[in-house]
Amino acid sequence: MRIANITAILGMALVTYLTRIAGFWFAGRLGQSGSLIRRMKYVPCAVLAAIVAPLMAMGGLAEWSGIVVSMLIMILTRNFLLSLVASVLTVVLFR
Amino acid sequence: MLPVTLPVFLEGAVFGILALKTGLNSAEAFGMSALVTAGSAQYVSLSLWSNPPHAGTIIFATLMINLRYVLMGAALRPWLDRKDSDARTYAALFFVGDENWALSLNEWTNGKADVLFLFGSGVALFIAWSGGTLAGSLAGEGWIDLRKSGLDFAFIAVFTALLAGTWSTARFVFASALSAAIALLVSRWIPGNWYILAGGLSGLAFGAKDE
């Protein structure tokens, strides 16, 4: 193991843990009933949409079929496992 | 957790293989996955790795990519309503990742608010990711076809399913559409992972009008 590699890895580990605790800690400083906390309601779906949008944009017919199946099943049944398995199978079939 | 941990294990294996190609050894690849545990940041770090690596550049890129965790951590506050002195909460936060964060919020909106779910699902993903990295870096190349098995799509399907799961009212769908549009624009014009932060912050605008 080389010292430069270890330094980079340990530095990555430190800043990553800091990002994981910073938002939680900061939101606590603002108080439980702060308006920022109430505004957080739509952040989870916004983050998820932002993560997946560029991935969806790269997809072809097979991927889009899978995406539609995945979302429809989730909306209709709320069954995460069923949605995942059915959408992956859809993509494999279309390919 | 299996439908989420299996793709993560395989993703970790792919990371392990790529890390070898980049010039890391198995112990370093495994060490990074076990200590950092942040897939997208680790993949990007490999693209920046030279021999020897420029640690400052890599650490800064890691910070930028993981800024979304700040937003996600703040979103956890109403659910993990604990004292800052609670060491268990800060231990659980080490394991926050895109998947278990979303799964936990999904679980908690159904009325089961508990730090243990975040911790348990985080540990499962941690084991899958670091174990996958170790397996991949020991096994070397060419032992699975991600595309043929559809497992490359499973990474996307995890997020589309979790996203659709948040749509309890039409307003959530609108917030998602706005964020997706912003993310697409930002990802096209600004290099890096800023699009996740930009899209996520747009969710705050929706919350502001809600009051």
Side-chain angles (χ1 to χ4, degrees):
Chain A
M1 296 236 242
R2 291 134 292 188
I3 193 78
N5 283 357
I6 309 246
T7 307
I9 291 168
L10 290 181
M12 287 172 71
L14 180 68
V15 296
T16 302
Y17 183 62
L18 287 178
T19 61
R20 283 181 166 126
I21 61 171
F24 180 80
W25 181 85
F26 190 67
R29 298 277 81 70
L30 293 173
Q32 300 307 313
S33 56
S35 68
L36 187 67
I37 301 299
R38 282 201 300 275
R39 288 187 187 187
M40 287 291 170
K41 194 173 158 191
Y42 295 92
V43 168
C45 75
V47 171
L48 286 171
I51 290 172
V52 84
L55 297 172
M56 286 165 69
M58 286 189 296
L61 178 66
E63 286 78 13
W64 273 96
S65 312
I67 288 164
V68 170
V69 167
S70 131
M71 287 182 164
L72 272 182
I73 292 185
M74 197 63 187
I75 291 167
L76 294 175
T77 70
R78 302 264 151 188
N79 188 328
F80 179 72
L81 174 60
L82 184 67
S83 163
L84 195 57
V85 171
S87 60
V88 169
L89 284 178
T90 304
V91 170
V92 171
L93 286 177
F94 266 84
R95 280 173 180 170
Chain B
M1 283 307 293
L2 186 67
V4 185
T5 49
L6 184 64
V8 168
F9 179 85
L10 293 168
E11 202 184 355
V14 173
F15 174 79
I17 294 165
L18 289 177
L20 280 192
K21 277 188 169 177
T22 308
L24 298 179
N25 60 36
S26 296
E28 289 164 344
F30 174 71
M32 193 202 282
S33 283
L35 294 172
V36 182
T37 329
S40 50
Q42 290 182 231
Y43 275 115
V44 170
S45 81
L46 290 187
S47 71
L48 296 170
W49 217 275
S50 48
N51 217 346
H54 191 289
T57 307
I58 289 168
I59 292 167
F60 182 72
T62 302
L63 177 64
M64 289 301 105
I65 291 157
N66 290 337
L67 274 182
R68 70 182 186 286
Y69 289 144
V70 177
L71 213 57
M72 288 160 58
L76 290 177
R77 190 83 211 195
W79 305 103
L80 294 177
D81 190 13
R82 308 232 170 187
K83 291 195 181 85
D84 276 329
S85 56
D86 189 345
R88 285 185 309 169
T89 304
Y90 281 89
L93 286 171
F94 173 81
F95 297 98
V96 166
D98 298 332
E99 289 92 350
N100 68 317
W101 170 79
L103 282 170
S104 299
L105 282 180
N106 183 46
E107 199 76 1
W108 298 340
T109 45
N110 293 334
K112 289 171 268 184
D114 195 335
V115 69
L116 276 179
F117 187 87
L118 178 73
F119 182 72
S121 56
V123 167
L125 288 164
F126 170 83
I127 292 169
W129 173 251
S130 48
T133 301
L134 188 62
S137 68
L138 292 177
E141 295 173 61
W143 54 285
I144 188 157
D145 190 332
L146 278 185
R147 212 185 129 72
K148 247 182 205 165
S149 58
L151 284 168
D152 59 335
F153 178 75
F155 305 142
I156 300 175
V158 165
F159 290 112
T160 53
L162 289 172
L163 176 61
T166 66
W167 294 343
S168 48
T169 67
R171 211 172 158 74
F172 285 91
V173 183
F174 296 144
S176 304
L178 173 70
S179 170
I182 289 172
L184 283 175
L185 278 175
V186 173
S187 69
R188 186 147 304 173
W189 300 109
I190 303 173
N193 279 38
W194 291 103
Y195 66 91
I196 297 176
L197 209 62
L201 284 172
S202 75
L204 286 177
F206 263 84
K209 285 180 184 168
D210 220 21
E211 290 172 53

